[in-house]
Amino acid sequence: MGAKIAILGAGESGIGAAILAKQKGYEVFVSDKGIIAEKHKSVLTHSNITWEEGKHSEIEILNSAEVIKSPGIAENSELIKKIKAKGIPVISEIEFAGRHTTAKMICITGSNGKTTTTLLIYHILKKAGLNVGLAGNVGESLAKKVAEGTYDYFVVELSSFQLDGMFDFKADIAILLNISPDHLDRYEYKMENYISSKLRVIQNQQKDDVFIYCLDDENITNELKKLEINAVQFPFSIKEKVEQGAYLNEEQLIIQTNNDPISMSIHELALQGKHNLYNSMAAGIAAKILDIRKDLIRESMADFQNIEHRLEFVAKINGIEFINDSKATNVNSTWYALESMQSPVIWIAGGVDKGNDYASLAEIAKDKVKVLICMGIDNEKLLAAFANVIPIIEVAGSAQEAVMKAYMLGTTEDTVLLSPACASFDLFQNYEDRGRQFKEAVRGL
């Protein structure tokens, strides 16, 4: 048997890492401080992998050659400090998986739009008939996909937490969509730490690799001035023309690589709204670099179905439209959601604040929002931020109560928008649970 690997956290990434490590001959020990889901216990037991729940046995963990850490465990936790003090490497499941595959890696990160862009690229590549896997922060863990099959390409969504645990892993095509304040509680409330984390997506890239990024994002462009970029760069912009990349020419989206442009009306795109135009640009560049036929790229960008919980239409009841944007867990994401609304908004927001600054929402909220319903346990910061901005503010302790209040306050042609700008863990298991409870409450009206 090979070296011992301890895996902290038995969620999707931890289980995937355990399966792959076992397959590659390592001695595997899985430890979760919480309760492991029954389906995951079954996999571990069936695979003859040692596991524990409800605790971390430090003697076992500190006796490992390497530790694979769940993205949800903070770098500065006491256990991680002890592991590092012993000189034991702490890596992410993505880093581990990358060692065991020769597939080309198309990696997408950013504060907003990651999942949509990842799924759009996967949709295009799948439609083109490529042997492609979907992994990372969306779908199954990369390690599990590597263990289960052989792929030529992986489209991987990466969070900053996953990037923090990546050292030798390399993206063949790296995409950085945007950087806005998010998860600052994990980065000592320092924006520069969070920006540095996102830029890890281009570490280890060489001159044959590709870096696709948003030219309109000042946090990105300011940081790039300080760095030496090895990869071939393809910026995208809705404000200016670029030589190589994507830009707007009036209402035409132009994707320009190797002097062979694609042109497509923005009205044909399946994803509408300014933020989605950026997502489509990034996906289109990636597809074009992979030499996918132009007609197929156009067709795929026109027939793509967007994801659940991202500006998802739920129902129209007595002229009031209900939109589920539960995946908007930060301020910038909510700004984009509000910006895309065309009718008066009853906005449902709130949850676990991650160091949010709501000042950037004040102007758009004043213009678009007639009612704010704060849904959470602690709403003080939201109430204070919008007290003099939005005329009517209500408080709700559940999705059902929020939806009922929104319906009672709404009139024909209003839009009820769940776009929380916060994490969900005060009232819900996760953003999916929040979105589904919202939809159930709407359907119950």
Side-chain angles (χ1 to χ4, degrees), residues 86-262:
K86 271 202 76 177
I88 301 168
V90 179
I91 64 169
S92 69
E93 162 260 329
I94 303 282
E95 173 79 5
F96 182 69
R99 297 173 185 171
H100 301 286
T101 176
T102 57
K104 294 283 186 189
M105 295 288 175
I106 302 143
C107 299
I108 301 93
T109 195
S111 302
N112 300 294
K114 293 187 295 294
T115 304
T116 300
T117 306
T118 301
L119 290 173
L120 177 54
I121 294 170
Y122 178 69
H123 172 66
I124 299 170
L125 271 54
K126 194 84 177 158
K127 200 161 179 170
L130 299 184
N131 176 23
V132 58
L134 173 71
N137 218 30
V138 60
E140 294 182 312
S141 76
L142 181 61
K144 185 168 186 283
K145 299 295 277 189
V146 169
E148 289 179 347
T150 303
Y151 294 88
D152 297 326
Y153 300 89
F154 276 113
V155 185
V156 188
E157 178 188 334
L158 295 174
S159 70
S160 57
F161 302 157
Q162 288 166 318
L163 286 162
D164 290 336
M166 289 161 58
F167 304 96
D168 297 323
F169 180 97
K170 179 174 76 74
D172 296 279
I173 297 177
I175 298 174
L176 181 53
L177 295 167
N178 46 59
I179 304 177
S180 61
D182 194 13
H183 303 296
L184 293 188
D185 51 330
R186 284 277 291 265
Y187 293 98
E188 300 174 352
Y189 294 94
K190 292 178 182 174
M191 187 63 182
E192 61 268 29
N193 293 355
Y194 178 60
I195 292 171
S196 296
S197 177
K198 286 295 186 192
L199 263 295
R200 288 174 71 91
V201 75
I202 59 172
Q203 69 182 2
N204 305 318
Q205 283 200 307
Q206 303 302 316
K207 58 181 174 53
D208 294 332
D209 299 316
V210 167
F211 177 39
I212 300 167
Y213 67 93
C214 182
L215 191 64
D216 301 341
D217 190 298
E218 288 185 6
N219 284 321
I220 295 175
T221 52
N222 289 339
E223 192 69 14
L224 292 184
K225 289 170 190 169
K226 307 172 195 171
L227 302 173
E228 190 176 320
I229 312 296
N230 295 321
V232 183
Q233 298 178 50
F234 291 90
F236 54 91
S237 171
I238 63 173
K239 295 178 179 177
E240 57 186 281
K241 183 178 178 179
V242 299
E243 289 301 315
Q244 294 282 301
Y247 63 95
L248 275 186
N249 181 8
E250 294 180 346
E251 294 191 335
Q252 291 290 308
L253 164 58
I254 312 295
I255 300 168
Q256 173 83 287
T257 65
N258 303 325
N259 300 316
D260 181 25
I262 295 179

Side-chain angles (χ1 to χ4, degrees), residues 12 62 71 177 217 272 328 387 428:
E12 288 294 330
L62 296 173
L177 295 167
D217 190 298
Q272 291 293 307
F428 309 95

Side-chain angles (χ1 to χ4, degrees), residues 340-351:
S340 67
M341 295 295 114
Q342 303 300 317
S343 55
V345 176
I346 298 171
W347 173 32
I348 301 173

Side-chain angles (χ1 to χ4, degrees), residues 315-322 346 348 370-371 373 399-412 414-417 438 441-442 444-445:
K316 194 164 190 174
I317 301 170
N318 291 333
I320 303 170
E321 198 167 282
F322 290 83
I346 298 171
I348 301 173
K370 60 185 264 187
V371 177
I373 297 173
Q400 194 167 12
E401 185 183 359
V403 166
M404 185 55 73
K405 285 191 173 185
Y407 183 59
M408 298 303 289
L409 290 164
T411 55
T412 301
D414 284 350
T415 297
V416 175
L417 172 68
F438 172 77
V442 171
L445 287 173

Side-chain angles (χ1 to χ4, degrees), residues 2 13 20 26 44 148 168 174 257 280-281 295 344-345 347 349 417:
S13 70
L20 181 60
Y26 291 91
L44 292 170
E148 289 179 347
D168 297 323
T257 65
S280 295
M281 283 178 162
D295 61 331
V345 176
W347 173 32
L417 172 68

